[in-house]
């Protein structure tokens, strides 16, 4: 059962929307290589607004993800792709189906 999660809100810089969507698609493929990441979602909320939601069974999985290749790619790409400060919100999953 998943018990841990993270949420990241992403606001694309003007004209960078296609690059952000490609970045999120690549992130989904990369997440398949992370055995401790249970679920990984890259979402479009509205034009230019995106998010990432991930779930993990425990803190070990979440920590592995936060120090892994997707997180490194996100931080490396942030100045070019995003207009907002990247803030990773750690959450506790209280219920799931």
């Amino acid at each position: 059962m998943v018990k841990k999660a993270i949420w990241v809100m992403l606001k694309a810089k003007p004209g960078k929307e296609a690059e952000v969507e490609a970045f999120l698609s690549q992130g989904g493929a990369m997440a398949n290589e992370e055995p401790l990441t249970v679920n990984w979602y890259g979402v479009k909320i509205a034009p230019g607004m995106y998010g990432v939601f991930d779930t993990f069974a425990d803190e070990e999985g979440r920590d592995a993800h936060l120090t892994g290749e997707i997180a490194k790619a996100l931080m490396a790409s942030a100045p070019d792709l995003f207009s907002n400060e990247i803030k990773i919100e750690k959450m506790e999953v209280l219920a799931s189906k």
Side-chain angles (χ1 to χ4, degrees), residues 16-64:
K16 297 286 186 170
E17 295 84 359
E19 290 179 60
V20 169
E21 291 182 23
F23 176 83
L24 292 174
S25 291
Q26 181 183 15
M30 292 171 71
N32 287 325
E33 303 301 318
E34 294 185 350
L36 299 179
T37 299
V38 177
N39 297 296
W40 190 97
Y41 301 95
V43 299
K44 182 175 183 178
I45 300 163
M49 294 296 298
Y50 301 89
V52 175
F53 178 72
D54 310 358
T55 63
F56 313 91
D58 53 29
E59 195 67 43
E60 177 188 3
R62 182 163 63 187
D63 287 344

Side-chain angles (χ1 to χ4, degrees), residues 7-11 71 74-75 77-79 81-89:
W7 167 254
V8 182
M9 177 69 74
L10 304 167
K11 184 174 182 184
L74 175 63
M75 295 316 212
S77 300
L81 295 179
F82 307 111
S83 62
N84 64 311
E85 177 183 348
I86 304 302
K87 185 174 180 191
I88 298 171
E89 304 284 349

Side-chain angles (χ1 to χ4, degrees), residues 64-82:
H65 178 72
L66 290 174
T67 59
E69 295 305 312
I70 298 172
K72 290 175 188 173
L74 175 63
M75 295 316 212
S77 300
D80 184 49
L81 295 179
F82 307 111

